[in-house]
Amino acid sequence: MNMNGIPKVGELLEVDAIGIDDRGQGLAKLEAGADERALLVPGLFPGERASVRIEALARHAPRAHGRVNELLRASPSRREPPCSRHEQHQRAPGDRRPKPSCGGCPLMGLNLDAQREAKRAWILREYGLELEGSGGIIGGAEFDYRWSSKRVVGGEPGRLRLGSRAAGKRRGDHIADMRGCLVDHPRIRDGFDALELQANELGIEPWREAGGDLRYVWAKTNGAQLLLTLICGAEPSRAARELGPRLHELGIADGIAWSVQSSSGNAIRGGAPQVIAGLAQLDLDAGLELGPLGFLQPNPEVAALAYRDLVALPDGQPMPPGELAFDLYAGAGVTTRLLRERFERVIPCESYPESAARLGIEPQTVEDFARAWLDAASPTPALIVANPPRAGLGESVCAALRELAAPRVHLMSCSPQTLAADLDRLRPDYQLIALRGYDTLPHTAHLELVAWLSRRPQTTRA
Ligand SMILES: C[S@@+](CC[C@H](N)C(=O)[O-])C[C@H]1O[C@@H](n2cnc3c(N)ncnc32)[C@H](O)[C@@H]1O
């Protein structure tokens, strides 16, 4: 370290990991006089001590990135990552030019209980979010749990590969191999493998900035049937014309659709999907349907536990029967259906046209919906359920929720960071009654949260 306590790139330091960060990397603190610098180290787990080589310093934040050179004290919960594509199997300690490896499961080198404990401690330390009771996180199966999975397409015609963008510096065109992924449902795993083979027989071109064809593939299953959506960089597309029908003829998927995504950046959802062959949608439980680009919680087994809790009281008792509830960011309508068991009228709101059409509503943003409801001075709902995307509710929706003044608001969130910010915005009118965590994506730092809020007694709608 220099005189100001700033580490130098290449330097070796002995550190203790105090937790994980939001990407599942080990977190150590470097003291530099009165200042503190976070050191992030992939594959280092809470309680471990290691000698770490500094690889980079963040320019605008007190943060450094390092790699384990030697593990000096291992966590008792450490294990050999079961997946052969895991970074730990692709890179020896100190290796500076590793093969592109899949960074999708950064916590896989810890047993499942310790992964969940690391996530609990992370959201408490970083965002002040305290899970109720003993803080146990609710979870399910460790493998084969993903019913919705995406792949980036890379490689060359004839040697095209489906994978993920490789972790670390060597990004760009480097696609990490994900064949045999342990967390995908077997239908999806087999579907991706078979698609890769067929695409290579046909010599389908992967998409690149300069042009090309197949860009992403999105697979979804209902546990039995498989829907594959080919997301191509431009029209016309050989993948859509030749590969799609072939996948259906060979029985590789039950439904094939395609969509165009030509924008730069990493957005996956393209324009309106078109069915190429077979099923246009998957039937989910209880009459729900899911189209080629509609939102599906990746882990329905654990998500079902979260949905069940989301529409009930925090102690698990059913909501008292009521007249009106809103289901904001309704997606495929799972919670809309559950709420209809308790409420005379449930109004879903959803902005994505494909999902809105399936719900039988006009696509509308929550912002517009809430504004129109307030302007019409319509009745106050007894319950508002909201499950926003990662960006959270944000300023304007929180302001509208405060004005709507429902006695109860139940939030589901996939981002502790934005949930904490939304809870702060709602705090003047709403009290947090309970917070529970659901491990919908084992081996990642992801955590799904359900928060029960109740309106403070002194505030009433103006
Ligand atoms: C996290 S998903 C939740 C979907 C559903 N509640 C579920 O659990 O399956 C968020 C949903 O909100 C929709 N959405 C995103 N931004 C929106 C907005 N501003 N207004 C309304 N819906 C939005 C997305 O299309 C997506 O279906």
Side-chain angles (χ1 to χ4, degrees), residues 1-8 30-37:
M1 294 212 229
N2 72 13
M3 271 160 43
N4 302 322
I6 298 175
K8 289 195 218 102
L30 301 178
E31 304 284 340
D35 296 332
E36 239 185 17
R37 184 173 286 263

Side-chain angles (χ1 to χ4, degrees), residues 269 295 297 307 329-332 334-335 349-352 355 364-367 387-389 412:
R269 253 184 193 170
F295 176 82
Q297 275 285 351
Y307 292 140
Y329 311 90
V334 185
T335 35
C349 173
E350 167 60 47
S351 64
Y352 186 59
S355 304
Q364 193 176 25
T365 64
V366 169
E367 293 80 343
N387 181 3
M412 184 159 158

